[in-house]
Amino acid sequence: EELLKKYPEQTLPWADAVTNYHCRNNLARVIFVVTSDEGANSLLNMDWKQTRFARIVLNSCPLEHLPTLSTIDRKLYAECKCNIGLYHVVFEALGQGRIMRDEVPAFVKGTLARWELEFHVPFAMQYHRSWLQLDLPEAKQKMLSGLEVLLHVPEESQETNRDEIQAIMATVSAATKRLDARQFFQSTQTLWQEALSNRYMAVPGLTAMEAAVVAKHIKRLFGNPVGWR
């Protein structure tokens, strides 16, 4: 998953090619290790016939299943969300005096948030097969309607949301109307971002940050089944 996060445009085609080669030639299977549902779905979305991948999930050991003679501090283990790796990090930090006992909840929350931010992909990086079951005009309309929902900011007023979203959607709609299926589904997040900001043109587009947000939302929508919100 770390490769997928850092090099999404190279990692997925490589994983697809390796899997095809091993399945076609009946070779020993490759194990892809991911740490999130989004990482798993990035691979599973490439599995059209649902025969190439077998997903094996290694769940954390529940507190009640710890061996009776285990030396693990059960209360601390529970505070660490039953994550044995995090438990050892916290146990060592306590032993070295780097954190105090009452700081454990904040430390756990911050560490888990950091791990998710740095090591998880934010969404499935491969488009979901349900999008190809739609005609291209319908797929474009579904993407645009889903994008409007994701662009809504709860903290802003209804009027502000309406005006800002309308302005953004005008640019996105104009940019997508002439795309064919390959361009629409297979354009990278980077390409979407550059196109929507008109990076290489004098024609006004979205701001750099608006384009970054919209490009990410578009790829998130494609990575989930049609109708996902």
Side-chain angles (χ1 to χ4, degrees):
E1 184 151 357
E2 188 172 353
L3 280 175
L4 188 59
K5 188 174 190 301
K6 291 183 177 179
Y7 311 105
E9 296 170 22
Q10 293 80 26
T11 303
L12 274 180
W14 169 80
D16 193 33
V18 169
T19 303
N20 281 339
Y21 180 79
H22 280 245
C23 290
R24 183 175 62 248
N25 296 290
N26 197 29
L27 301 177
R29 298 298 182 250
V30 177
I31 297 176
F32 297 106
V33 179
V34 294
T35 56
S36 69
D37 289 336
E38 291 76 16
N41 288 333
S42 296
L43 296 169
L44 292 173
N45 282 355
M46 296 191 300
D47 193 7
W48 291 90
K49 295 182 179 180
Q50 299 181 328
T51 57
R52 298 196 304 164
F53 295 108
R55 185 179 182 184
I56 300 173
V57 180
L58 301 180
N59 292 313
S60 299
C61 179
L63 184 64
E64 60 272 17
H65 289 173
L66 286 177
T68 305
L69 299 179
S70 172
T71 59
I72 290 177
D73 182 326
R74 283 167 163 72
K75 182 177 180 181
L76 183 61
Y77 183 66
E79 288 186 89
C80 293
K81 313 300 181 184
C82 297
N83 184 315
I84 190 62
L86 181 56
Y87 169 83
H88 285 298
V89 171
V90 174
F91 188 82
E92 181 178 328
L94 286 170
Q96 295 176 351
R98 289 187 282 113
I99 62 173
M100 303 303 293
R101 192 64 179 79
D102 60 354
E103 296 175 321
V104 168
F107 183 85
V108 167
K109 182 178 180 180
T111 302
L112 289 175
R114 179 186 175 187
W115 287 354
E116 180 176 355
L117 184 64
E118 295 188 358
F119 301 116
H120 291 187
V121 292
F123 49 83
M125 309 301 283
Q126 173 74 6
Y127 57 84
H128 192 272
R129 59 184 176 275
S130 61
W131 285 94
L132 298 188
Q133 297 170 0
L134 305 177
D135 293 333
L136 185 56
E138 184 181 2
K140 290 181 179 180
Q141 186 54 49
K142 290 286 187 181
M143 185 275 283
L144 292 172
S145 61
L147 181 59
E148 286 193 53
V149 174
L150 294 179
L151 289 173
H152 186 271
V153 179
E155 296 79 13
E156 295 289 352
S157 67
Q158 184 176 351
E159 292 76 15
T160 299
N161 269 307
R162 182 192 63 231
D163 294 343
E164 292 181 350
I165 292 175
Q166 283 181 352
I168 292 173
M169 294 306 301
T171 299
V172 178
S173 180
T176 59
K177 64 183 179 182
R178 291 184 175 86
L179 299 182
D180 62 22
R182 288 180 176 82
Q183 294 165 330
F184 186 61
F185 292 117
Q186 296 182 341
S187 291
T188 64
Q189 185 175 337
T190 300
L191 180 55
W192 277 108
Q193 184 173 340
E194 291 177 347
L196 293 172
S197 63
N198 286 352
R199 181 177 177 183
Y200 303 112
M201 300 176 63
V203 179
L206 304 180
T207 66
M209 290 308 298
E210 285 175 339
V213 170
V214 171
K216 183 176 180 179
H217 282 328
I218 289 173
K219 298 300 287 186
R220 175 182 283 115
L221 285 167
F222 286 157
N224 285 282
V226 174
W228 170 88
R229 294 292 187 276

